[in-house]
Amino acid sequence: MTAPTAAVIGQLARDLILTVDELPEPGSSGAAGSRREQLGGKGANQAVALAQLGVRPSLVAVAGDDVIGDVLLAQARRDGIDVRSVIRRPGALTGLIVEILEPGGAYRYVEHLPPPVLLGEQDVLRARDTIAAADAVLVQLQQPAEAALAAARIGHEAGRLVVLDGEIKDESILAYADVVRADEKESGGIVLGRGPRLQAIAEQDGNLFVWEGGQIKIPLADAEVVDTTGGGDAFVAALTAALLGGQSYEEAARRATAASGATVGHAGGRPDLRDV
């Protein structure tokens, strides 16, 4: 049986994670307890998770033409990701996300994601064949609205499963979506009937799933949370994989919540879902 495929439209970046016992005072320095450097960004995280779950992912993203871009793309290939639709932007530095993680899961991000390493509408249109050929199209709404809209439209017109992740800033995109995932702050209320068939809302005490004629709330697992970074990305990937596998909304909801729980138990957003 051929594995399903997915096109992920989103961010690729170098993730640098530093753990600290406490933040140094202004004008002073402090030691990091540990350091991780890895392939990251929401798009890459979701693509890694999909590959671990048996879905063949293609990544539509932007990398600089620097050596860091070379290193990250090499890692993506080892992770089983098709990176032929990743744009190498001349003269740009590959995106960087620095996470400073304190005990108890408190984090601070310092990001360098300037416009050259974000997707433009023309970048997405050049990847049309990749997007239209995939069984599912995952669109991160943190990317510029024109690019996100173009990707969702291509997926919808090709009859693919279109999954939106993040805050809906332009409601016209809802007409092209099958699934919307957001947190309480991003959701802005239920959007069923305006395109999506399923909405997943991350709440403080669990994940709420709503569809026509039904809903379910899956409580969060009673486990230590080390770092919430990447939990949403694992959630979206597992939800997509379950739906592509023909699972019911309730089954997909449980799988997505389990994947998120497995990811927040370690530092950094890189998933490890091979046992989920």
Side-chain angles (χ1 to χ4, degrees), residues 170-260:
D170 178 359
E171 291 195 358
S172 65
I173 199 171
L174 292 172
Y176 306 113
D178 299 293
V179 179
V180 174
R181 182 266 172 190
D183 60 30
E184 282 182 288
K185 183 177 179 181
E186 294 170 332
S187 68
I190 304 301
V191 297
L192 299 182
R194 289 184 275 170
R197 295 180 281 116
L198 173 66
Q199 183 169 10
I201 304 171
E203 300 180 338
Q204 287 192 345
D205 59 345
N207 293 302
L208 174 65
F209 298 80
V210 183
W211 61 92
E212 188 68 34
Q215 68 177 54
I216 187 172
K217 187 166 185 176
I218 309 295
L220 301 180
D222 186 17
E224 180 185 9
V225 176
V226 175
D227 183 4
T228 57
T229 303
D233 299 330
F235 180 101
V236 170
L239 182 64
T240 302
L243 294 175
L244 288 176
Q247 295 185 5
S248 69
Y249 287 154
E250 182 172 343
E251 291 170 331
R254 296 188 184 282
R255 191 176 187 192
T257 302
S260 180

Side-chain angles (χ1 to χ4, degrees), residues 12 14 66 104 155 164 168 171 182 201 254:
L12 175 150
R14 175 191 183 190
D66 52 2
L164 306 183
I168 304 294
E171 291 195 358
I201 304 171
R254 296 188 184 282

Side-chain angles (χ1 to χ4, degrees), residues 17-253:
I17 303 103
L18 302 173
T19 62
V20 298
D21 290 332
E22 59 181 4
L23 292 173
E25 294 295 327
S28 66
S29 64
S34 66
R35 165 180 164 181
R36 295 187 183 193
E37 295 190 54
Q38 58 197 29
L39 171 66
K42 290 187 68 64
N45 286 343
Q46 291 185 13
V48 169
L50 286 164
Q52 293 171 349
L53 293 167
V55 178
R56 294 185 292 128
S58 296
L59 181 60
V60 181
V62 180
D65 62 355
D66 52 2
V67 67
I68 297 301
D70 296 338
V71 170
L72 295 181
L73 291 178
Q75 179 60 60
R77 294 186 190 97
R78 290 193 294 272
D79 285 325
I81 301 169
D82 185 336
V83 295
R84 288 176 291 179
S85 292
V86 173
I87 296 94
R88 301 300 299 270
R89 194 83 79 201
L93 294 172
T94 298
L96 172 65
I97 302 173
V98 178
E99 179 186 3
I100 302 172
L101 180 63
E102 297 178 82
Y107 62 81
R108 289 172 171 80
Y109 295 142
V110 180
E111 302 177 342
H112 185 246
L113 302 172
V117 294
L118 302 180
L119 286 164
E121 183 179 7
Q122 290 305 312
D123 298 325
V124 171
L125 294 178
R126 282 193 288 271
R128 178 186 296 274
D129 291 346
T130 297
I131 297 169
D135 296 311
V137 179
L138 287 67
V139 184
Q140 275 93 58
L141 300 181
Q142 295 80 3
Q143 292 293 303
E146 297 82 0
L149 182 62
R153 182 187 294 119
I154 292 169
H156 176 77
E157 291 176 351
R160 308 309 182 188
L161 176 72
V162 177
V163 180
L164 306 183
D165 178 21
E167 182 180 0
I168 304 294
K169 298 176 182 177
D170 178 359
E171 291 195 358
S172 65
I173 199 171
L174 292 172
Y176 306 113
D178 299 293
V179 179
V180 174
R181 182 266 172 190
D183 60 30
E184 282 182 288
K185 183 177 179 181
E186 294 170 332
S187 68
I190 304 301
V191 297
L192 299 182
R194 289 184 275 170
R197 295 180 281 116
L198 173 66
Q199 183 169 10
I201 304 171
E203 300 180 338
Q204 287 192 345
D205 59 345
N207 293 302
L208 174 65
F209 298 80
V210 183
W211 61 92
E212 188 68 34
Q215 68 177 54
I216 187 172
K217 187 166 185 176
I218 309 295
L220 301 180
D222 186 17
E224 180 185 9
V225 176
V226 175
D227 183 4
T228 57
T229 303
D233 299 330
F235 180 101
V236 170
L239 182 64
T240 302
L243 294 175
L244 288 176
Q247 295 185 5
S248 69
Y249 287 154
E250 182 172 343
E251 291 170 331

